[in-house]
Amino acid sequence: MYVEILAASTLITGAYLLGSIPFGLVLSKIFFAADLRSIGSGNIGATNARRVGGWPLGLATLILDMAKGAIPAAMGLLLFGRSGYMAQTAVCVAALAAFLGHLYPVYLRCKTGGKGVATAGGCFLVLSPVAVFSSLAVFIGVTALFKRVSAGSLAAAATLPIAVYFAEKSAVFVLGALVFFILILLRHRENIIRLANNTEPRI
């Protein structure tokens, strides 16, 4: 029991520290001597990184932000499996820790974190691949229709809990996906206002 508690505590702490690494900010400073926090939307995620370094920087940031969600989730499944409420809860908390690290990175004094969509996608790509691909289809469709990444991101996040329910039939995973959605919604509140006012930048 104590070994499991120690393993879970170590995983959760490591997940948060990994999630806190601002890959977009680091890459933009290394290759373009630019600070994403003072450019475009000021966000450290893939969309703003693309504005600085084009698609290569945006894609690299996207992959790394997804990886820092996927790795803790995969480690959680490796350590605890996915059978039973306790195991699923431990895995979800580890995934959530990585996600919160991205939103509130300790290396940036818990400020100027990202919106969390890519990291959430990485987490659930491991926990429920079918649900993620369903949400990805929604993201692509909504983004193509409205030419706004934020609209696609919000639609995909809203789809995730529903898709997880049908794909996994796990109350713990569904609750986890719902928490992710609520946090993503809160992080996009300025985007929602701009969407409502039709002032959100297009692709």
Side-chain angles (χ1 to χ4, degrees), residues 84-175:
Y85 287 110
M86 293 301 292
Q88 292 177 3
T89 299
V91 173
C92 276
V93 171
L96 182 61
F99 180 68
L100 289 173
H102 182 73
L103 299 188
Y104 307 103
V106 65
Y107 309 121
L108 301 179
R109 300 180 181 180
C110 298
K111 300 178 181 179
T112 62
K115 298 293 178 66
V117 176
T119 304
C123 292
F124 278 92
L125 185 61
V126 172
L127 301 181
S128 182
V130 173
V132 167
F133 284 113
S134 299
S135 294
L136 179 61
V138 172
F139 170 80
I140 292 172
V142 173
T143 302
L145 180 63
F146 294 101
K147 300 295 188 293
R148 290 180 169 96
V149 172
S150 59
S153 298
L154 288 166
T159 302
L160 185 62
I162 301 170
V164 170
Y165 171 78
F166 285 106
E168 304 298 329
K169 298 296 191 297
S170 164
V172 175
F173 285 176
V174 171
L175 180 60

